[in-house]
């Protein structure tokens, strides 16, 4: 039984994200994610200016006048949402946790996809695959996916991106759009990640929170790693401690960004304290300009 609070969240999210899809992201999505190829639709008589390379010589010979083949872009695609629901996603220093932000962005992507008659599927993961819902079309299906993102209780305690992507690669035989939403608090995922990028159209949504990057001066505070359970006590009033913490986080961020760039992978950094509209719009437009 779904609680009233969850139903209220889903309804509010549907209204907010569908408005963004109708006004901003629906058209951007269609332009940014091209179909997988061209499919034959019909033959028609040749008219001046047509590409002579498309002449159908068999039909032309039978009718004693030139006919050409007409092709249309194969529009239907599959969008697979791979969402990290490990404990580190429960952190949020502003109005949303990282996980809630990931759910909202994935809802935008899902509603954009069904607006363009694409199928949408879902894989939720921690250090194991928690739930898989095969791709289908339709608004009811997308609402089910959102419900599952809100209500699925994870059993794993850490993050294994490689395990999730390995499952996706086995599940989807045809090239698809894979949206990976995670804070990327993981190691040694690169091999499977690169395989997925070659096989599919992989988009990495890196969900971040500013408080995880720069410590405020709060004095002596305990820090708990949500995924390992390890607790560390640090003195945040010590400027050297704050500087060293910031350097360490920045180094990890730079390594991840350089990895994406080096391997020509799409990625979007999105923070819990900022609107995701601008970074997502910029991402779509960069893709459109690229093609």
């Amino acid at each position: 039984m779904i609680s009233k609070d969850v139903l209220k969240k889903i309804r509010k999210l549907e209204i907010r994200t569908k408005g963004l899809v109708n006004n901003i992201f629906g058209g951007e999505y269609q332009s940014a994610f091209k179909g997988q190829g061209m499919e034959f639709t019909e033959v028609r008589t040749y008219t001046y200016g047509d590409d002579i390379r498309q002449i159908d010589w068999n039909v032309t010979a039978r009718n004693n006048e030139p006919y050409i083949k007409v092709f249309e872009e194969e529009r239907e695609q599959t969008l697979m949402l791979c969402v990290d629901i490990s404990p580190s996603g429960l952190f949020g220093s502003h109005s949303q946790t990282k996980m809630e932000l990931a759910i909202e962005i994935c809802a935008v992507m899902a509603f954009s996809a069904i607006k363009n008659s694409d199928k949408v599927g879902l894989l939720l993961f921690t250090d194991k695959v928690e739930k898989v819902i095969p791709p289908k079309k339709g608004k009811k299906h997308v609402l089910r996916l959102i419900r599952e993102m809100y209500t699925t209780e994870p059993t794993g305690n850490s993050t294994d991106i490689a395990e999730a992507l390995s499952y996706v690669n086995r599940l989807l035989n045809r090239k698809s759009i894979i949206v990976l939403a995670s804070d990327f608090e993981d190691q040694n995922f690169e091999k499977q990640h690169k395989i997925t990028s070659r096989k599919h159209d992989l988009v990495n949504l890196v969900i971040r929170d500013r408080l995880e990057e720069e410590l405020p001066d709060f004095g002596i505070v305990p820090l708990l790693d949500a995924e390992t359970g390890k607790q560390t006590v640090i003195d945040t009033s010590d400027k050297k401690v704050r500087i060293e913490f910031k350097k360490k986080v920045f180094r990890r961020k730079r390594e991840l960004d350089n990895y994406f760039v080096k391997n020509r992978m799409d990625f979007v950094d999105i923070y819990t304290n900022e609107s995701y509209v601008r970074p997502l719009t910029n991402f779509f437009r960069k893709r459109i300009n690229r093609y």
Side-chain angles (χ1 to χ4, degrees):
M1 187 72 177
I2 305 172
S3 70
K4 290 183 179 179
D5 286 343
V6 172
L7 288 173
K8 188 177 178 181
K9 276 186 179 181
I10 293 172
R11 182 58 182 158
K12 285 176 68 177
L13 182 61
E14 179 190 1
I15 293 169
R16 185 164 63 249
T17 56
K18 284 185 74 176
L20 289 171
V21 168
N22 290 333
N23 296 318
I24 302 174
F25 293 120
E28 301 276 15
Y29 172 94
Q30 183 177 18
S31 300
F33 296 104
K34 301 290 186 180
Q36 299 304 315
M38 305 296 287
E39 63 178 0
F40 171 76
T41 56
E42 62 175 345
V43 293
R44 61 167 173 79
T45 55
Y46 174 87
T47 58
Y48 179 77
D50 286 335
D51 187 347
I52 61 172
R53 292 173 297 180
Q54 301 302 330
I55 291 177
D56 187 322
W57 295 106
N58 290 329
V59 178
T60 295
R62 288 199 301 269
N63 291 278
N64 294 318
E65 62 175 319
Y67 277 75
I68 66 163
K69 297 176 182 177
V70 178
F71 295 85
E72 288 184 358
E73 182 183 12
E74 189 180 355
R75 178 59 247 170
E76 182 182 296
Q77 299 192 90
T78 296
L79 169 66
M80 195 72 185
L81 304 170
C82 298
V83 185
D84 178 0
I85 60 169
S86 60
S88 63
L90 297 175
F91 182 80
S93 60
H94 297 272
S95 59
Q96 284 182 307
T97 65
K98 291 187 288 182
M99 194 179 301
E100 286 171 336
L101 178 58
I103 291 172
E104 183 162 341
I105 298 169
C106 286
V108 167
M109 298 293 285
F111 280 120
S112 296
I114 62 167
K115 184 180 175 69
N116 289 282
S117 298
D118 291 347
K119 296 178 181 178
V120 187
L122 176 68
L123 183 145
L124 301 175
F125 71 95
T126 53
D127 53 5
K128 63 184 77 172
V129 174
E130 299 281 355
K131 182 162 289 187
V132 179
I133 301 176
K136 286 177 62 177
K137 293 183 180 183
K139 174 185 170 182
K140 286 185 178 179
H141 178 67
V142 168
L143 290 175
R144 181 196 171 194
L145 302 187
I146 294 171
R147 183 179 73 239
E148 294 293 345
M149 284 190 275
Y150 273 128
T151 60
T152 299
E153 294 288 342
T155 57
N157 296 315
S158 58
T159 306
D160 192 336
I161 291 172
E163 176 66 21
L165 294 180
S166 176
Y167 190 101
V168 167
N169 291 334
R170 295 193 302 271
L171 177 69
L172 301 174
N173 295 319
R174 185 182 179 189
K175 184 174 181 179
S176 304
I177 304 162
I178 309 295
V179 171
L180 174 60
S182 174
D183 56 12
F184 284 81
E185 292 295 328
D186 190 18
Q187 302 289 330
N188 304 317
F189 60 84
E190 289 85 357
K191 181 180 178 181
Q192 198 60 236
H193 196 249
K194 289 175 184 177
I195 292 171
T196 307
S197 182
R198 289 194 297 269
K199 186 176 180 181
H200 299 288
D201 193 347
L202 177 63
V203 178
N204 300 282
L205 299 181
V206 187
I207 312 298
R208 304 182 185 276
D209 190 281
R210 294 289 181 191
L211 194 57
E212 293 180 313
E213 298 185 350
E214 188 169 355
L215 290 173
D217 183 354
F218 280 159
I220 296 175
V221 296
L223 296 181
L224 178 68
D225 187 319
E227 302 204 353
T228 65
K230 184 179 179 181
Q231 182 170 299
T232 306
V233 177
I234 64 172
D235 183 3
T236 61
S237 63
D238 187 331
K239 187 176 180 180
K240 290 181 180 179
V241 170
R242 296 200 305 272
I243 291 172
E244 188 57 36
F245 180 87
K246 187 175 181 179
K247 283 182 179 177
K248 184 178 179 181
V249 173
F250 180 75
R251 187 162 53 245
R252 169 59 183 155
K253 181 179 184 299
R254 185 174 57 192
E255 288 172 356
L256 185 62
D257 289 354
N258 288 343
Y259 163 76
F260 290 141
V261 172
K262 181 181 177 181
N263 291 281
R264 298 181 179 181
M265 295 180 184
D266 285 328
F267 71 101
V268 191
D269 282 331
I270 304 178
Y271 287 84
T272 57
N273 68 317
E274 299 171 2
S275 170
Y276 58 83
V277 173
R278 184 182 294 275
L280 208 55
T281 301
N282 289 341
F283 161 69
F284 282 137
R285 289 176 181 170
K286 281 180 182 177
R287 279 188 61 108
I288 294 167
N289 292 333
R290 191 166 74 214
Y291 296 117

Short mmCIF file of all heavy atoms in Angstrom, two decimals, residues 128-174:
data_model
loop_
_atom_site.label_atom_id
_atom_site.label_comp_id
_atom_site.label_asym_id
_atom_site.label_seq_id
_atom_site.Cartn_x
_atom_site.Cartn_y
_atom_site.Cartn_z
N LYS A 128 24.26 -3.99 -5.50
CA LYS A 128 23.59 -5.07 -6.22
C LYS A 128 22.45 -4.46 -7.03
O LYS A 128 22.06 -3.31 -6.79
CB LYS A 128 23.06 -6.13 -5.25
CG LYS A 128 21.99 -5.60 -4.31
CD LYS A 128 21.55 -6.65 -3.30
CE LYS A 128 22.57 -6.80 -2.19
NZ LYS A 128 22.09 -7.67 -1.09
N VAL A 129 21.93 -5.22 -7.94
CA VAL A 129 20.76 -4.76 -8.68
C VAL A 129 19.54 -4.98 -7.79
O VAL A 129 19.22 -6.10 -7.42
CB VAL A 129 20.60 -5.53 -10.01
CG1 VAL A 129 19.30 -5.16 -10.70
CG2 VAL A 129 21.79 -5.24 -10.93
N GLU A 130 18.87 -3.87 -7.42
CA GLU A 130 17.75 -3.94 -6.48
C GLU A 130 16.42 -4.21 -7.16
O GLU A 130 15.59 -4.96 -6.66
CB GLU A 130 17.66 -2.63 -5.69
CG GLU A 130 18.89 -2.29 -4.86
CD GLU A 130 18.95 -3.07 -3.55
OE1 GLU A 130 17.98 -3.79 -3.24
OE2 GLU A 130 19.95 -2.93 -2.84
N LYS A 131 16.21 -3.59 -8.32
CA LYS A 131 14.93 -3.77 -9.03
C LYS A 131 15.12 -3.42 -10.50
O LYS A 131 15.84 -2.48 -10.84
CB LYS A 131 13.85 -2.90 -8.41
CG LYS A 131 12.47 -3.05 -9.07
CD LYS A 131 11.37 -2.53 -8.17
CE LYS A 131 11.14 -3.41 -6.98
NZ LYS A 131 9.96 -3.01 -6.17
N VAL A 132 14.45 -4.17 -11.36
CA VAL A 132 14.48 -3.92 -12.80
C VAL A 132 13.06 -3.93 -13.33
O VAL A 132 12.29 -4.86 -13.06
CB VAL A 132 15.32 -4.97 -13.55
CG1 VAL A 132 15.31 -4.67 -15.05
CG2 VAL A 132 16.74 -5.01 -13.02
N ILE A 133 12.71 -2.89 -14.09
CA ILE A 133 11.41 -2.83 -14.77
C ILE A 133 11.68 -2.67 -16.25
O ILE A 133 12.27 -1.67 -16.67
CB ILE A 133 10.55 -1.67 -14.24
CG1 ILE A 133 10.32 -1.84 -12.74
CG2 ILE A 133 9.22 -1.61 -14.98
CD1 ILE A 133 9.55 -0.71 -12.10
N PRO A 134 11.32 -3.64 -17.07
CA PRO A 134 11.61 -3.59 -18.51
C PRO A 134 10.98 -2.38 -19.19
O PRO A 134 9.94 -1.87 -18.75
CB PRO A 134 11.01 -4.90 -19.04
CG PRO A 134 10.93 -5.79 -17.85
CD PRO A 134 10.63 -4.89 -16.68
N PRO A 135 11.57 -1.93 -20.29
CA PRO A 135 11.07 -0.74 -21.00
C PRO A 135 9.68 -0.96 -21.60
O PRO A 135 9.39 -2.01 -22.17
CB PRO A 135 12.12 -0.54 -22.11
CG PRO A 135 13.34 -1.24 -21.63
CD PRO A 135 12.85 -2.41 -20.85
N LYS A 136 8.84 0.05 -21.43
CA LYS A 136 7.51 0.09 -22.03
C LYS A 136 7.16 1.54 -22.32
O LYS A 136 7.85 2.45 -21.89
CB LYS A 136 6.46 -0.51 -21.06
CG LYS A 136 6.50 -2.01 -20.93
CD LYS A 136 5.48 -2.50 -19.92
CE LYS A 136 4.05 -2.19 -20.30
NZ LYS A 136 3.07 -2.73 -19.33
N LYS A 137 6.06 1.73 -23.04
CA LYS A 137 5.57 3.07 -23.34
C LYS A 137 4.44 3.46 -22.40
O LYS A 137 3.87 2.62 -21.72
CB LYS A 137 5.05 3.14 -24.79
CG LYS A 137 6.11 2.97 -25.86
CD LYS A 137 5.48 3.13 -27.24
CE LYS A 137 6.49 2.98 -28.35
NZ LYS A 137 5.89 3.20 -29.68
N GLY A 138 4.14 4.76 -22.39
CA GLY A 138 2.92 5.22 -21.75
C GLY A 138 3.10 5.95 -20.43
O GLY A 138 4.05 5.69 -19.68
N LYS A 139 2.17 6.85 -20.16
CA LYS A 139 2.21 7.65 -18.94
C LYS A 139 2.07 6.79 -17.69
O LYS A 139 2.78 7.00 -16.70
CB LYS A 139 1.08 8.69 -18.99
CG LYS A 139 0.92 9.50 -17.71
CD LYS A 139 -0.29 10.42 -17.79
CE LYS A 139 -0.60 11.03 -16.43
NZ LYS A 139 -1.81 11.89 -16.47
N LYS A 140 1.15 5.83 -17.69
CA LYS A 140 0.95 4.98 -16.52
C LYS A 140 2.24 4.23 -16.17
O LYS A 140 2.57 4.07 -14.98
CB LYS A 140 -0.18 3.97 -16.76
CG LYS A 140 -1.57 4.57 -16.72
CD LYS A 140 -2.63 3.49 -16.84
CE LYS A 140 -4.04 4.08 -16.75
NZ LYS A 140 -5.08 3.04 -16.88
N HIS A 141 2.94 3.81 -17.20
CA HIS A 141 4.20 3.10 -16.97
C HIS A 141 5.23 4.03 -16.31
O HIS A 141 5.92 3.63 -15.36
CB HIS A 141 4.73 2.56 -18.30
CG HIS A 141 6.04 1.85 -18.18
ND1 HIS A 141 6.18 0.65 -17.51
CD2 HIS A 141 7.28 2.18 -18.63
CE1 HIS A 141 7.45 0.26 -17.56
NE2 HIS A 141 8.13 1.17 -18.23
N VAL A 142 5.34 5.26 -16.81
CA VAL A 142 6.29 6.21 -16.23
C VAL A 142 5.94 6.52 -14.77
O VAL A 142 6.83 6.60 -13.91
CB VAL A 142 6.35 7.50 -17.06
CG1 VAL A 142 7.09 8.61 -16.32
CG2 VAL A 142 7.04 7.22 -18.39
N LEU A 143 4.66 6.67 -14.48
CA LEU A 143 4.25 6.92 -13.09
C LEU A 143 4.61 5.74 -12.20
O LEU A 143 4.97 5.92 -11.03
CB LEU A 143 2.74 7.20 -13.03
CG LEU A 143 2.30 8.53 -13.65
CD1 LEU A 143 0.79 8.64 -13.64
CD2 LEU A 143 2.92 9.71 -12.90
N ARG A 144 4.54 4.54 -12.76
CA ARG A 144 4.96 3.37 -11.99
C ARG A 144 6.46 3.42 -11.69
O ARG A 144 6.90 3.12 -10.58
CB ARG A 144 4.64 2.08 -12.76
CG ARG A 144 5.04 0.83 -11.99
CD ARG A 144 5.09 -0.41 -12.84
NE ARG A 144 5.68 -1.52 -12.10
CZ ARG A 144 6.10 -2.65 -12.65
NH1 ARG A 144 6.00 -2.83 -13.96
NH2 ARG A 144 6.63 -3.60 -11.90
N LEU A 145 7.24 3.84 -12.69
CA LEU A 145 8.68 3.94 -12.48
C LEU A 145 9.00 4.95 -11.38
O LEU A 145 9.87 4.71 -10.53
CB LEU A 145 9.38 4.35 -13.78
CG LEU A 145 9.20 3.47 -15.01
CD1 LEU A 145 10.10 3.95 -16.15
CD2 LEU A 145 9.48 2.01 -14.69
N ILE A 146 8.31 6.08 -11.40
CA ILE A 146 8.53 7.11 -10.38
C ILE A 146 8.16 6.56 -9.00
O ILE A 146 8.88 6.78 -8.01
CB ILE A 146 7.72 8.38 -10.70
CG1 ILE A 146 8.24 9.03 -11.99
CG2 ILE A 146 7.79 9.37 -9.54
CD1 ILE A 146 7.37 10.15 -12.51
N ARG A 147 7.05 5.84 -8.94
CA ARG A 147 6.62 5.24 -7.68
C ARG A 147 7.68 4.28 -7.14
O ARG A 147 8.01 4.29 -5.95
CB ARG A 147 5.29 4.50 -7.87
CG ARG A 147 4.73 3.91 -6.58
CD ARG A 147 3.41 3.23 -6.82
NE ARG A 147 3.58 1.96 -7.53
CZ ARG A 147 3.02 1.67 -8.69
NH1 ARG A 147 2.27 2.57 -9.31
NH2 ARG A 147 3.20 0.50 -9.25
N GLU A 148 8.24 3.48 -8.03
CA GLU A 148 9.27 2.52 -7.60
C GLU A 148 10.53 3.23 -7.12
O GLU A 148 11.18 2.79 -6.17
CB GLU A 148 9.61 1.56 -8.75
CG GLU A 148 8.48 0.63 -9.18
CD GLU A 148 8.10 -0.38 -8.11
OE1 GLU A 148 8.87 -0.56 -7.15
OE2 GLU A 148 7.03 -1.00 -8.24
N MET A 149 10.88 4.34 -7.76
CA MET A 149 12.06 5.08 -7.32
C MET A 149 11.87 5.63 -5.92
O MET A 149 12.80 5.69 -5.12
CB MET A 149 12.37 6.21 -8.32
CG MET A 149 13.03 5.74 -9.60
SD MET A 149 13.65 7.08 -10.64
CE MET A 149 12.18 7.54 -11.55
N TYR A 150 10.65 6.05 -5.60
CA TYR A 150 10.36 6.60 -4.28
C TYR A 150 10.23 5.52 -3.20
O TYR A 150 10.58 5.77 -2.04
CB TYR A 150 9.07 7.41 -4.32
CG TYR A 150 9.25 8.86 -4.71
CD1 TYR A 150 8.49 9.42 -5.74
CD2 TYR A 150 10.16 9.69 -4.04
CE1 TYR A 150 8.64 10.76 -6.09
CE2 TYR A 150 10.32 11.02 -4.40
CZ TYR A 150 9.56 11.54 -5.42
OH TYR A 150 9.71 12.87 -5.78
N THR A 151 9.71 4.36 -3.56
CA THR A 151 9.30 3.39 -2.53
C THR A 151 10.23 2.20 -2.37
O THR A 151 10.13 1.49 -1.37
CB THR A 151 7.88 2.86 -2.83
OG1 THR A 151 7.87 2.22 -4.12
CG2 THR A 151 6.86 4.00 -2.82
N THR A 152 11.11 1.94 -3.32
CA THR A 152 11.98 0.76 -3.21
C THR A 152 12.97 0.93 -2.06
O THR A 152 13.72 1.91 -2.01
CB THR A 152 12.75 0.51 -4.52
OG1 THR A 152 11.81 0.28 -5.57
CG2 THR A 152 13.68 -0.69 -4.38
N GLU A 153 12.95 0.00 -1.14
CA GLU A 153 13.87 0.02 0.00
C GLU A 153 15.12 -0.77 -0.36
O GLU A 153 15.06 -1.98 -0.58
CB GLU A 153 13.20 -0.60 1.23
CG GLU A 153 12.03 0.20 1.78
CD GLU A 153 12.47 1.48 2.45
OE1 GLU A 153 13.66 1.60 2.81
OE2 GLU A 153 11.62 2.38 2.62
N PRO A 154 16.27 -0.11 -0.43
CA PRO A 154 17.49 -0.82 -0.81
C PRO A 154 17.95 -1.81 0.26
O PRO A 154 17.77 -1.57 1.45
CB PRO A 154 18.52 0.31 -0.98
CG PRO A 154 18.01 1.42 -0.11
CD PRO A 154 16.52 1.33 -0.16
N THR A 155 18.52 -2.90 -0.19
CA THR A 155 19.08 -3.90 0.74
C THR A 155 20.61 -3.81 0.77
O THR A 155 21.23 -4.29 1.72
CB THR A 155 18.68 -5.32 0.32
OG1 THR A 155 19.11 -5.57 -1.03
CG2 THR A 155 17.16 -5.48 0.38
N GLY A 156 21.20 -3.20 -0.25
CA GLY A 156 22.65 -3.05 -0.28
C GLY A 156 23.09 -1.82 0.49
O GLY A 156 22.31 -0.89 0.72
N ASN A 157 24.38 -1.80 0.87
CA ASN A 157 24.90 -0.72 1.69
C ASN A 157 25.91 0.17 0.98
O ASN A 157 26.35 1.18 1.53
CB ASN A 157 25.55 -1.29 2.95
CG ASN A 157 24.56 -1.99 3.84
OD1 ASN A 157 23.47 -1.49 4.07
ND2 ASN A 157 24.91 -3.18 4.32
N SER A 158 26.32 -0.20 -0.22
CA SER A 158 27.32 0.59 -0.94
C SER A 158 26.95 0.68 -2.41
O SER A 158 25.81 0.39 -2.78
CB SER A 158 28.72 -0.02 -0.75
OG SER A 158 28.74 -1.36 -1.20
N THR A 159 27.90 1.07 -3.27
CA THR A 159 27.61 1.32 -4.68
C THR A 159 28.47 0.45 -5.57
O THR A 159 29.68 0.36 -5.36
CB THR A 159 27.88 2.80 -5.03
OG1 THR A 159 27.15 3.64 -4.14
CG2 THR A 159 27.48 3.12 -6.46
N ASP A 160 27.84 -0.19 -6.55
CA ASP A 160 28.59 -0.99 -7.54
C ASP A 160 28.03 -0.65 -8.92
O ASP A 160 27.11 -1.30 -9.41
CB ASP A 160 28.46 -2.48 -7.24
CG ASP A 160 29.45 -3.33 -8.04
OD1 ASP A 160 29.89 -2.86 -9.12
OD2 ASP A 160 29.79 -4.44 -7.60
N ILE A 161 28.63 0.36 -9.53
CA ILE A 161 28.18 0.81 -10.85
C ILE A 161 28.42 -0.27 -11.90
O ILE A 161 27.60 -0.49 -12.79
CB ILE A 161 28.90 2.12 -11.22
CG1 ILE A 161 28.41 3.26 -10.32
CG2 ILE A 161 28.66 2.48 -12.70
CD1 ILE A 161 29.18 4.55 -10.46
N ALA A 162 29.56 -0.95 -11.80
CA ALA A 162 29.90 -1.98 -12.78
C ALA A 162 28.86 -3.10 -12.81
O ALA A 162 28.47 -3.58 -13.88
CB ALA A 162 31.29 -2.56 -12.49
N GLU A 163 28.39 -3.51 -11.64
CA GLU A 163 27.38 -4.57 -11.56
C GLU A 163 26.09 -4.13 -12.24
O GLU A 163 25.47 -4.90 -12.99
CB GLU A 163 27.11 -4.91 -10.10
CG GLU A 163 26.00 -5.93 -9.87
CD GLU A 163 26.34 -7.32 -10.39
OE1 GLU A 163 27.54 -7.62 -10.57
OE2 GLU A 163 25.39 -8.11 -10.62
N ALA A 164 25.68 -2.90 -12.01
CA ALA A 164 24.45 -2.39 -12.62
C ALA A 164 24.56 -2.33 -14.14
O ALA A 164 23.65 -2.76 -14.86
CB ALA A 164 24.13 -1.00 -12.06
N LEU A 165 25.68 -1.81 -14.64
CA LEU A 165 25.85 -1.67 -16.08
C LEU A 165 26.04 -3.02 -16.76
O LEU A 165 25.62 -3.21 -17.90
CB LEU A 165 27.04 -0.75 -16.38
CG LEU A 165 26.85 0.70 -15.93
CD1 LEU A 165 28.08 1.53 -16.27
CD2 LEU A 165 25.60 1.33 -16.57
N SER A 166 26.67 -3.96 -16.07
CA SER A 166 26.80 -5.31 -16.62
C SER A 166 25.42 -5.93 -16.84
O SER A 166 25.17 -6.57 -17.87
CB SER A 166 27.62 -6.18 -15.66
OG SER A 166 27.69 -7.51 -16.12
N TYR A 167 24.52 -5.72 -15.90
CA TYR A 167 23.16 -6.22 -16.02
C TYR A 167 22.45 -5.57 -17.22
O TYR A 167 21.80 -6.24 -18.02
CB TYR A 167 22.38 -5.95 -14.74
CG TYR A 167 21.03 -6.65 -14.67
CD1 TYR A 167 20.87 -7.81 -13.93
CD2 TYR A 167 19.93 -6.15 -15.37
CE1 TYR A 167 19.64 -8.45 -13.87
CE2 TYR A 167 18.70 -6.78 -15.32
CZ TYR A 167 18.56 -7.93 -14.57
OH TYR A 167 17.34 -8.58 -14.53
N VAL A 168 22.59 -4.26 -17.34
CA VAL A 168 21.96 -3.52 -18.45
C VAL A 168 22.48 -4.01 -19.79
O VAL A 168 21.72 -4.19 -20.74
CB VAL A 168 22.22 -2.00 -18.30
CG1 VAL A 168 21.86 -1.26 -19.58
CG2 VAL A 168 21.39 -1.44 -17.16
N ASN A 169 23.78 -4.25 -19.88
CA ASN A 169 24.37 -4.71 -21.14
C ASN A 169 23.85 -6.08 -21.54
O ASN A 169 23.75 -6.38 -22.74
CB ASN A 169 25.89 -4.73 -21.03
CG ASN A 169 26.49 -3.34 -20.95
OD1 ASN A 169 25.90 -2.38 -21.45
ND2 ASN A 169 27.65 -3.22 -20.33
N ARG A 170 23.53 -6.90 -20.56
CA ARG A 170 22.95 -8.21 -20.87
C ARG A 170 21.46 -8.09 -21.21
O ARG A 170 20.94 -8.85 -22.02
CB ARG A 170 23.12 -9.17 -19.68
CG ARG A 170 24.56 -9.52 -19.35
CD ARG A 170 24.64 -10.70 -18.40
NE ARG A 170 23.94 -10.46 -17.15
CZ ARG A 170 24.49 -9.91 -16.07
NH1 ARG A 170 25.75 -9.51 -16.10
NH2 ARG A 170 23.77 -9.73 -14.97
N LEU A 171 20.80 -7.13 -20.59
CA LEU A 171 19.35 -6.97 -20.77
C LEU A 171 18.99 -6.39 -22.13
O LEU A 171 18.04 -6.83 -22.78
CB LEU A 171 18.80 -6.07 -19.66
CG LEU A 171 17.31 -5.73 -19.72
CD1 LEU A 171 16.47 -6.97 -19.42
CD2 LEU A 171 16.99 -4.61 -18.72
N LEU A 172 19.75 -5.38 -22.57
CA LEU A 172 19.40 -4.64 -23.79
C LEU A 172 20.29 -5.05 -24.95
O LEU A 172 21.49 -4.77 -24.94
CB LEU A 172 19.52 -3.13 -23.54
CG LEU A 172 18.65 -2.55 -22.41
CD1 LEU A 172 18.98 -1.09 -22.19
CD2 LEU A 172 17.17 -2.73 -22.72
N ASN A 173 19.71 -5.69 -25.93
CA ASN A 173 20.48 -6.13 -27.10
C ASN A 173 20.65 -5.01 -28.12
O ASN A 173 21.66 -4.93 -28.81
CB ASN A 173 19.79 -7.32 -27.77
CG ASN A 173 19.76 -8.54 -26.86
OD1 ASN A 173 20.74 -8.82 -26.19
ND2 ASN A 173 18.64 -9.25 -26.84
N ARG A 174 19.65 -4.15 -28.22
CA ARG A 174 19.68 -3.06 -29.18
C ARG A 174 20.25 -1.80 -28.54
O ARG A 174 20.07 -1.56 -27.34
CB ARG A 174 18.25 -2.80 -29.66
CG ARG A 174 18.15 -1.77 -30.76
CD ARG A 174 16.69 -1.56 -31.11
NE ARG A 174 16.53 -0.56 -32.15
CZ ARG A 174 15.36 -0.05 -32.52
NH1 ARG A 174 14.25 -0.49 -31.95
NH2 ARG A 174 15.29 0.84 -33.47
#
